[in-house]
Amino acid sequence: MPRCVVVVGLQWGDEGKGKVVDLLGAEAQVVVRYQGGANAGHTIVVSGQKIVLHQIPSGILTPEVLCVVGPAVVLDPETLVEEMKSLTAAGYEVTPARLAISRSANLVLSYHKELDRLRERGPGRIGTTCRGIGPAYEDMVARRGVRIFDLCDADRLRSRLREVLPERNALILHLGGSPVSLDELVERLMSFRQVLEPFLADTRALLWERFCKGERVLFESAQGTLLDVLYGTYPFVTSSLTTAMAAFALTGVPMPSDAAVVGVMKAYTTRVGAGPFPTEHDGQMGEYLRTRGKEYGATTGRPRRCGALDLPSLRYAAQLNGVSHLALMKLDVLSGLEEIPVCVAYRRANQVVETVEPSQLGELQPVFEMWPGWTQDLVGRSEKELPENARAFVERVSRAIGAPVAIVSLGSDRKDTILRFNIWS
Ligand code: IMP
């Protein structure tokens, strides 16, 4: 019986992790977000009401769950306060009893967003979300970050910014942007102090305490394995560690031997931003998936690139994360396709490769199989009511990746989900 579950994306993000965390988090006592920032957009639909979360863990939608934001999340105070307000307006309780934010988390400030935007105008653009994530992580590891507890003392904040801002402003000027005023920045940041200070905590100690009590803890990742800064399609990646192993290193708790790792994947593939995507369909099929799957970014509204399921990349991601269970999302989107293209291997010259490293993706040719499709709408069906070919699709995916499919999602609402077995028990 695992006391700890990590939910991780196996593709390029947008797999539907928010829905899975919402479902599994309902049976947890603690939900932890451990990396990324406001570049993430977790969309959850509860009784027809759509909620998009960027920085606050999806567990906030379940009363009684404690949500924790770890020290390796980069927080934009401006949008964090907005997110808190809109959750409160939607009727969810956002109090220090429900949300603890690491005192050590680094801030994403206006100059990080400006730098991100300016770099994205250049030739080497990554297609970032322009939320300042890369520049904020650069500052964190370069030891020139501003941390959230710096907001608790105006003099300390001013002196820290006085140290780090001139160099950032010089870079902004060099890239053709407008420098940021120290006084305005301090004034703006201090306006968030009153709201944020009560939420700051020693999250490592808090998590350790909850672990010792034997509570169920769920770790929620953002983005996906193929966007990991070390193991993804570098340099077309985000700037954080997105894998399951990172959950423990980044929050300061030891990995329990019985942790379950739920790999979340869509029944096809999408990607936002630049970088290799060998199974991409830019014709009719891509448009079909984009329209039926409503594949537009939850954070930026950008149309997502769409393509076929990529089993060799999924095998890699499952292996890397130590996936124990799969959550197969958006199976309903495939309804209406007579045949479903699936990439089952890659070929280089005469060599066939069944598990692929992201760094090789640009050099290999995908090998497709056509799997039989179905015409029936799947929304609201139970497992028994699924058309035979849809059931066969689930089984083939499970066999190909080598892990059981515990969750099948057939629509955006909480109720449009097949829970094949309980991961917590
Ligand atoms: P950044 O994280 O904004 O720096 O963007 C780097 C890359 O990660 C870009 O290709 C983004 O489109 C992608 N990315 C970042 N966050 C997400 C996400 O939540 N879903 C999907 N792609 C993302």
Side-chain angles (χ1 to χ4, degrees), residues 192-314:
F192 302 123
R193 174 186 172 172
Q194 215 184 349
V195 183
L196 295 177
E197 197 173 353
F199 292 91
L200 305 191
D202 177 350
T203 52
R204 188 210 64 82
L206 184 64
L207 281 174
W208 176 247
E209 205 180 286
R210 298 296 184 114
F211 260 65
C212 292
K213 278 192 196 160
E215 292 190 358
R216 287 176 169 179
V217 181
L218 186 146
F219 290 85
E220 165 183 13
S221 70
Q223 291 81 49
T225 301
L226 302 180
L227 286 172
D228 183 275
V229 68
L230 289 178
Y231 296 104
T233 46
Y234 192 88
F236 300 101
V237 291
T238 190
S239 299
S240 64
L241 299 166
T242 61
T243 58
M245 308 78 87
F248 304 96
L250 299 182
T251 56
V253 284
M255 181 173 175
S257 55
D258 63 346
V261 177
V262 181
V264 187
M265 55 175 284
K266 273 195 272 219
Y268 48 96
T269 314
T270 63
R271 165 161 217 178
V272 211
F277 181 1
T279 67
E280 181 170 13
H281 281 273
D282 39 22
Q284 237 181 354
M285 171 74 173
E287 200 45 51
Y288 186 86
L289 294 171
R290 185 157 36 250
T291 309
R292 279 191 57 88
K294 300 189 184 67
E295 295 295 352
Y296 295 89
T299 301
T300 58
R302 290 181 291 177
R304 295 179 183 141
R305 298 159 67 191
C306 295
L309 197 64
D310 178 346
L311 292 175
S313 294
L314 283 161

Side-chain angles (χ1 to χ4, degrees), residues 19-101:
K19 180 174 177 180
V20 174
V21 173
D22 180 48
L23 281 168
L24 299 179
E27 290 178 59
Q29 278 86 44
V30 186
V31 175
V32 192
R33 172 83 187 269
Y34 60 92
Q35 44 71 232
N39 48 351
H42 291 164
T43 308
I44 298 146
V45 181
V46 187
S47 314
Q49 186 189 27
K50 181 172 155 184
I51 294 165
V52 185
L53 295 160
H54 298 283
Q55 297 173 94
I56 297 177
S58 320
I60 202 78
L61 307 183
T62 308
E64 313 298 328
V65 168
L66 170 70
C67 292
V68 174
V69 177
V73 176
V74 286
L75 289 168
D76 179 340
E78 192 118 23
T79 53
L80 178 61
V81 168
E82 279 311 307
E83 205 171 316
M84 286 171 156
K85 279 191 198 150
S86 61
L87 276 168
T88 308
Y92 295 97
E93 193 198 333
V94 186
T95 60
R98 301 259 353 256
L99 176 66
I101 298 172

Side-chain angles (χ1 to χ4, degrees), residues 143-184:
R143 297 161 294 188
R144 54 167 181 256
V146 177
R147 299 202 275 178
I148 198 164
F149 75 82
D150 290 324
L151 293 187
C152 302
D153 180 335
D155 290 339
R156 192 175 59 219
L157 177 68
R158 180 176 287 280
S159 109
R160 183 73 178 141
L161 281 168
R162 205 177 275 128
E163 261 172 69
V164 300
L165 190 58
E167 200 188 85
R168 299 296 90 195
N169 271 342
L171 189 53
I172 288 174
L173 274 172
H174 170 73
L175 294 170
S178 322
V180 170
S181 144
L182 174 76
D183 289 336
E184 280 171 28

Side-chain angles (χ1 to χ4, degrees), residues 291-353:
T291 309
R292 279 191 57 88
K294 300 189 184 67
E295 295 295 352
Y296 295 89
T299 301
T300 58
R302 290 181 291 177
R304 295 179 183 141
R305 298 159 67 191
C306 295
L309 197 64
D310 178 346
L311 292 175
S313 294
L314 283 161
R315 272 186 213 113
Y316 162 82
Q319 209 176 76
L320 181 67
N321 288 291
V323 160
S324 57
H325 303 79
L326 293 168
L328 178 60
M329 313 305 282
K330 291 197 159 182
L331 187 63
D332 56 302
V333 172
L334 300 182
S335 292
L337 294 173
E338 222 167 274
E339 287 189 307
I340 303 164
V342 175
C343 169
V344 291
Y346 278 96
R347 195 189 298 281
R348 183 178 25 212
N350 288 332
Q351 197 191 352
V352 173
V353 188

Side-chain angles (χ1 to χ4, degrees), residues 372-418:
W374 56 90
T375 52
Q376 301 91 322
D377 189 8
L378 304 187
V379 178
R381 289 184 188 236
S382 67
E383 187 170 3
K384 278 200 203 113
E385 291 164 342
L386 288 183
E388 203 182 311
N389 287 347
R391 254 183 291 150
F393 185 95
V394 176
E395 285 317 318
R396 287 178 87 166
V397 165
S398 169
R399 244 181 295 129
I401 301 175
V405 175
I407 296 170
V408 182
S409 176
L410 304 175
S412 52
D413 208 284
R414 264 181 188 172
K415 63 177 172 37
D416 299 322
T417 317
I418 299 171

